[in-house]
Amino acid sequence: MPAEQITSPDDDRIADYRALTDVELRTKWEPPNGLFIAEGELVIRRAVRAGYRLRSVLVDEKRVEQLADLPGDAPFYAATPPVLESITGFHVHRGVLASFHRKPPLSIADVLSASRRVAVLEGLNTHTNLGALFRSAAAFGMDAVVLSPDCADPLYRRAVRVSMGEVFAIPYAKAVDWPGALDEIRAAGFTLLAMTPAADSVPLQSLTSAQRARPAVLLGAEGPGLTRRALAASDARVAIPMHRGVDSLNVATAAAVAFWELSRTD
């Protein structure tokens, strides 16, 4: 479709893209309206390949041809860089944005049914950590992600961008009952492995074959870690051995190490 020129940030046609840096506003706008924003050509094309339906595209007027081959009949808008910045609230240095329709949410049973290794996240509310974790999950063979009710939105623009679109590759479900959902995961045949630097933890590499068979890696928020209730619900407490008195890693880094170690059983 030919691009429609946008000259004002007040144009109602680009309402999906306003104030993209305002997390509170976006949280109130995106999920209730069944949309999310993707940034950058690679991420947008991965969303399309994953079956997400385009609502619209907004690009720097110099990049119109870059995404001219996208499928479907979604509106295609173009604007100058200053207008893009006034719409979004930041310099869109990739010059390409798209709004997508969300898919219906999956249940925990949905994502567990076809999984052998899963990540279970409690209170992970930093979008950059969440995006990085999804990227590692895809890279190291995790089959699904389960999130507690207070986790951040995996489809928030920053999480999508940091994941390089890998949030589209990993099925995920958000729990309603917490920590009751942990019982559901165990009942599905998974072993709950709580990542914690607690003194009674066992080294990650010493897990038994039975514990590695169908692991559910339980990770908490940056700083506080897992809650007492989550730790109590786990089957084993697991730590990554470290040197020089370092007691913990960034949660996304710790997740990558754990996912890699568990992938070695393949």
Side-chain angles (χ1 to χ4, degrees):
M1 294 181 65
E4 302 175 41
Q5 193 71 24
I6 301 295
T7 59
S8 168
D10 298 321
D11 193 315
D12 288 339
R13 292 175 294 175
I14 46 79
D16 286 2
Y17 303 95
R18 290 199 188 108
L20 292 184
T21 58
D22 188 327
V23 178
E24 183 176 356
L25 176 63
R26 299 310 302 183
T27 300
K28 292 178 180 177
W29 173 261
E30 292 184 14
N33 285 284
L35 69 93
F36 69 91
I37 301 298
E39 178 185 356
E41 181 180 1
L42 174 65
V43 171
I44 290 169
R45 291 191 183 279
R46 284 182 173 172
V48 170
R49 286 199 300 271
Y52 288 92
R53 186 163 58 93
L54 275 169
R55 285 166 59 100
S56 65
V57 180
L58 176 63
V59 302
D60 182 326
E61 61 183 8
K62 296 178 182 178
R63 296 177 182 254
V64 169
E65 297 302 320
Q66 192 172 330
L67 294 175
D69 63 330
L70 286 178
D73 56 359
F76 204 107
Y77 304 120
T80 63
V83 172
L84 282 177
E85 186 167 353
S86 64
I87 293 168
T88 63
F90 69 102
H91 174 61
V92 187
H93 65 278
R94 289 177 176 83
V96 179
L97 297 163
S99 177
F100 284 89
H101 295 274
R102 290 177 181 242
K103 294 180 180 181
L106 297 173
S107 69
I108 292 177
D110 290 333
V111 302
L112 295 183
S113 62
S115 298
R116 187 163 65 89
R117 287 192 293 259
V118 299
V120 185
L121 313 181
E122 183 185 47
L124 205 64
N125 52 23
T126 303
H127 292 101
T128 50
N129 281 336
L130 189 63
L133 191 148
F134 265 85
R135 190 175 182 184
S136 295
F140 298 123
M142 303 303 286
D143 299 312
V145 176
V146 175
L147 304 102
S148 69
D150 55 347
C151 279
D153 177 12
L155 293 183
Y156 180 70
R157 178 181 58 89
R158 191 172 296 125
V160 171
R161 186 187 70 217
V162 172
S163 81
M164 293 299 292
E166 297 300 347
V167 293
F168 310 135
I170 303 292
Y172 66 87
K174 206 156 197 176
V176 176
D177 176 24
W178 192 266
L182 299 178
D183 294 329
E184 182 178 356
I185 295 169
R186 180 185 292 105
F190 291 86
T191 301
L192 289 165
L193 305 176
M195 299 299 297
T196 172
D200 60 349
S201 298
V202 299
L204 176 62
Q205 66 270 34
S206 70
L207 290 171
T208 66
S209 297
Q211 290 171 322
R212 291 168 177 265
R214 297 193 76 198
V217 184
L218 188 54
L219 296 135
E222 191 78 21
L226 294 167
T227 62
R228 291 181 180 179
R229 292 195 301 168
L231 288 169
S234 67
D235 298 305
R237 301 186 182 193
V238 183
I240 298 170
M242 287 177 276
H243 301 277
R244 295 188 174 89
V246 177
D247 66 348
S248 64
L249 297 171
N250 168 275
V251 64
T253 303
V257 173
F259 299 162
W260 176 81
E261 171 63 25
L262 291 170
S263 75
R264 295 197 310 120
T265 60
D266 288 344

